[in-house]
Amino acid sequence: MKKLIISIVLVNLLAACASEPKKEEAAPAPAPKAEAPKQAPVAKTEVDPLNDPASILAKRSTYYPFDVAVVQDEDKPAVQAHAKYLSEHANRKVRLEGNCDERGSNEYNLGLGQRRADGVNKMLALGGARADQLESVSYGEEKPRCTDHNEACWKQNRRTDLNYAK
Amino acid sequence: MVLRVLQGVFGLLLLAQASMAGAVLSIEIIGAGEHQIPVAIVPFGGDEKIAQAINEVVAGDLQRSGLFRLVDPAGKSPHEPAEVSYPDWQVRGAEALAIGTVAAQPNGRIEARFRLLDVVKQMELAGQAVSASEDQIRAIGHRIADLIYEKLTGDKGVFSTRIAYVNRQGKSFRLIVADSDGHNEQVVLAHNEPIMSPAWSPDGSHLAYVSFETGHAVVYVQSLYTNQRVALADFRGSNSAPAWSPDGQQLAVVLTRDGSSQIYLIRPDGSGLRRITFSGAIDTEPNFSPDGQYLLFTSDRGGSAQIYRMPAEGGPAERLTFGEGTNFSPRHSPDGKSFVFAHLNSGGFYVAVQDFQTGQMSLLTEGGWEKKPSFAPNGKLILFASEARGRGILATVSSDGRVKQHMFTQSGDAREPVWGPYP
């Protein structure tokens, strides 16, 4: 099996090598000239959209009602945007960290947080992210953002964080 | 044990020496037993300082149980039966009298010779010599308190047992083993990621627990003698909720490697992994019955978290808790007749017990933030995590709900307590 994969990879590499000169040939001389002035300004503004505070990708957490693990409608556009980003940036990896408020046992919340993380994981996969870009873990109620015993606090703790690897 | 073999192979030396941490600051006792036994404890003869230290431990233990009223010796100090004038103690209302002597042995050990006398019947109830090294004077006191407790109540004492819990201070987590009164803390594991769910092996030699130090929840089993440990379950997702079978031959653990939290059995050496729940819901917090035949566990398979029971080898589960609210963290009583758990309703978390036969549930606490209860090995006390003055603390309640005590550790929040077995 391993041998087979290696040989397929080799074939692909060979194919890539073989096609490169063709592309160069196909691309006529005027093309680079025309593109050169365009590329410069694009390069200046083309920051990683992940680092753009105005991008929907700046939203890195999904929030939940009590004892619920399904991604809520208001969070779906952001999760779908992250899925698209991951599908276009194969080298990026993201850890999905499920968290809960303290109303449950620590162990039950560990399970609930895992379910929350897995729910986001599934939506990202459906949106085009590859399995090897995604890892879901749970912290249960062990890493609260806020520690008061009230809903204002609890709602901040019921979330899944999308934590991109640096 | 199988584990000992493994330690040599996979063992990881964590803390070469368990460090001594700060002692408990204070203990508050609330309530009293219905019938308190009046008992007088005469400071032992011999080395006054040692005698005083032992006396404090014995008196503290008996008082915390809520089952005894300490009678002031008021100037009388017999150390031998021949020196006892029973009428003196009858007048003071004492029903029992503890006397004795302490002395340093030639080998450096401290020996306490102790007698318990029945003041009413004017006879000796017990007599024993207890010895320990000089740094274990508290252990002598606990042993004597156990003997007094057993002779006067008919139940075995638990003052010589230990407890485990997690101390959280900011981002630092420490897994701690301490005497049942919170003294004599020893740090088993310390780092800056969460630690959860310590579980004693039946012989008290090992702790299983959950640590996040590698970035996700992993179950470890660690020797309390050598501090060496093995990663028992380190699969994809969360590995958690370890529970030992009464014979120590297997553990139930909860894994998410095949989807949602499900219960698996595994041997202490990591072999023989076998899934036993297939619900697709969250099945967690397994706890073996004392006879090893059943598992209690928490599941939301019915729509909300409730307590279920199933055969320990797998099979159909039966729901045990109904009514308003949700229920978590079930643990069998040592006699197997009831179970204790955390009940959550609109008011908060309470320690509750339910009788298997009647199905009757009763709440033992009213604080509103009480979690993770576990029975003392004699079934007479329940240890749980509570909150007071804005901090997580350890607390106990007698199984009849009458006597409560709060144990304030020096700093940080105490969480996830569990009572250990008899030594």
Side-chain angles (χ1 to χ4, degrees):
Chain A
M1 195 60 187
K2 260 183 193 167
K3 269 185 193 164
L4 190 66
I5 291 169
I6 289 166
S7 49
I8 289 170
V9 170
L10 282 175
V11 167
N12 284 344
L13 283 173
L14 289 171
C17 291
S19 64
E20 261 171 37
K22 264 188 201 167
K23 267 185 187 165
E24 273 172 23
E25 275 170 42
K33 269 185 194 167
E35 267 175 26
K38 270 183 201 166
Q39 251 176 0
V42 169
K44 265 183 197 165
T45 54
E46 202 194 299
V47 290
D48 187 338
L50 206 54
N51 301 328
D52 177 2
S55 164
I56 190 168
L57 297 176
K59 190 170 157 44
R60 303 280 172 83
S61 297
T62 59
Y63 293 90
Y64 307 85
F66 174 61
D67 205 10
V68 167
V70 180
V71 176
Q72 301 296 290
D73 284 345
E74 60 264 35
D75 289 331
K76 282 179 183 167
V79 176
Q80 282 153 359
H82 281 285
K84 185 165 181 289
Y85 174 82
L86 286 162
S87 70
E88 290 165 356
H89 297 76
N91 58 331
R92 296 309 301 255
K93 292 186 182 209
V94 66
R95 240 166 89 92
L96 311 163
E97 301 170 347
N99 292 274
C100 302
D101 72 30
E102 59 194 356
R103 288 173 300 163
S105 63
N106 294 25
E107 282 289 351
Y108 178 81
N109 282 331
L110 192 65
L112 180 60
Q114 188 72 40
R115 201 187 255 173
R116 284 176 176 160
D118 286 344
V120 175
N121 186 314
K122 201 169 282 181
M123 191 169 278
L124 291 173
L126 284 172
R130 292 193 328 270
D132 66 1
Q133 293 177 282
L134 308 171
E135 182 193 7
S136 20
V137 300
S138 175
Y139 290 123
E141 61 174 270
E142 292 290 320
K143 290 195 170 185
R145 246 183 216 170
C146 178
T147 56
D148 297 335
H149 302 320
N150 59 46
E151 176 57 23
C153 216
W154 291 331
K155 69 179 185 189
Q156 299 176 50
N157 294 336
R158 296 188 301 263
R159 66 180 200 283
T160 300
D161 291 329
L162 287 82
N163 192 352
Y164 279 87
K166 295 281 181 288
Chain B
M1 288 260 305
V2 188
L3 268 173
R4 286 205 191 110
V5 183
L6 267 168
Q7 283 153 14
V9 186
F10 303 108
L12 173 68
L13 196 65
L14 286 180
L15 299 164
Q17 238 175 345
S19 57
M20 306 292 285
V24 162
L25 261 194
S26 64
I27 294 178
E28 292 173 2
I29 304 159
I30 307 132
E34 195 174 8
H35 304 292
Q36 289 191 308
I37 303 167
V39 54
I41 302 163
V42 177
F44 291 179
D47 185 313
E48 203 175 318
K49 213 174 137 198
I50 297 171
Q52 180 63 26
I54 292 174
N55 185 272
E56 272 173 25
V57 173
V58 176
D61 283 350
L62 296 180
Q63 250 176 334
R64 277 184 298 108
S65 74
L67 301 180
F68 301 92
R69 183 166 57 80
L70 296 182
V71 174
D72 186 357
K76 294 282 175 190
S77 54
H79 301 309
E80 299 295 338
E83 299 167 11
V84 173
S85 161
Y86 284 106
D88 288 347
W89 301 98
Q90 287 165 349
V91 182
R92 289 174 169 79
E95 288 178 15
L97 173 65
I99 58 170
T101 55
V102 291
Q105 300 295 102
N107 60 6
R109 287 172 74 83
I110 305 297
E111 185 180 78
R113 296 180 161 274
F114 140 85
R115 292 174 202 277
L116 182 65
L117 308 171
D118 184 325
V119 172
V120 180
K121 292 180 185 158
Q122 308 198 0
M123 57 179 276
E124 187 171 318
L125 291 170
Q128 196 163 339
V130 183
S131 76
S133 56
E134 209 171 348
D135 57 352
Q136 289 185 311
I137 287 173
R138 298 192 68 87
I140 296 176
H142 291 315
R143 182 79 195 106
I144 290 169
D146 278 337
L147 288 166
I148 295 172
Y149 183 96
E150 186 169 350
K151 281 293 166 191
L152 299 182
T153 70
D155 297 310
K156 210 170 162 184
V158 291
F159 304 118
S160 299
T161 59
R162 291 176 298 167
I163 58 173
Y165 64 94
V166 175
N167 181 287
R168 179 178 71 182
Q169 196 162 11
K171 284 187 173 175
S172 111
F173 289 80
R174 294 182 304 152
L175 176 58
I176 287 167
V177 166
D179 291 351
S180 67
D181 60 359
H183 282 87
N184 197 20
E185 286 182 353
Q186 294 181 303
V187 179
V188 176
L189 177 72
H191 54 60
N192 289 334
E193 291 294 333
I195 302 170
M196 278 173 56
S197 306
W200 291 88
S201 66
D203 65 0
S205 65
H206 290 76
L207 274 185
Y209 57 83
V210 176
S211 170
F212 288 72
E213 66 201 70
T214 62
H216 71 141
V218 172
V219 177
Y220 295 90
V221 172
Q222 181 166 339
S223 164
L224 293 175
Y225 301 135
T226 66
N227 271 325
Q228 290 187 304
R229 67 174 188 173
V230 291
L232 182 72
D234 184 6
F235 299 101
R236 195 169 59 87
S238 297
N239 307 269
S240 68
W244 296 81
S245 66
D247 63 6
Q249 295 303 300
Q250 57 186 353
L251 291 99
V253 292
V254 171
L255 312 179
T256 63
R257 63 168 214 167
D258 299 319
S260 69
S261 300
Q262 298 285 286
I263 301 173
Y264 297 70
L265 297 178
I266 190 170
R267 282 194 280 272
D269 64 359
S271 69
L273 183 73
R274 185 160 69 87
R275 181 173 172 181
I276 56 166
T277 64
F278 300 87
S279 68
I282 293 174
D283 293 341
T284 189
E285 303 185 301
N287 173 254
F288 283 90
S289 58
D291 64 5
Q293 297 297 302
Y294 292 94
L295 283 176
L296 286 172
F297 63 100
T298 306
S299 177
D300 70 342
R301 57 182 65 188
S304 68
Q306 299 295 342
I307 309 303
Y308 290 77
R309 178 167 64 170
M310 66 180 285
E313 292 299 311
E318 160 200 14
R319 181 171 166 177
L320 299 180
T321 53
F322 300 90
E324 277 190 37
T326 50
N327 298 291
F328 303 89
S329 312
R331 295 185 80 94
H332 288 88
S333 63
D335 65 8
K337 289 178 179 165
S338 63
F339 61 100
V340 67
F341 54 102
H343 172 73
L344 173 66
N345 62 31
S346 54
F349 268 103
Y350 306 90
V351 173
V353 285
Q354 183 165 318
D355 187 278
F356 278 112
Q357 201 155 25
T358 64
Q360 191 71 40
M361 174 183 113
S362 48
L363 300 183
L364 297 182
T365 64
E366 59 284 313
W369 211 256
E370 295 134 347
K371 289 174 136 186
K372 208 66 185 273
S374 67
F375 274 101
N378 68 357
K380 296 296 171 187
L381 286 171
I382 294 157
L383 174 69
F384 57 96
S386 186
E387 193 168 82
R389 300 177 205 148
R391 284 176 50 196
I393 63 163
L394 304 176
T396 64
V397 59
S398 55
S399 54
D400 62 4
R402 285 179 169 275
V403 188
K404 298 177 182 76
Q405 59 165 311
H406 287 171
M407 300 195 275
F408 289 86
T409 50
Q410 224 158 28
S411 53
D413 294 312
R415 301 158 61 82
E416 303 277 292
V418 59
W419 211 309
Y422 286 120

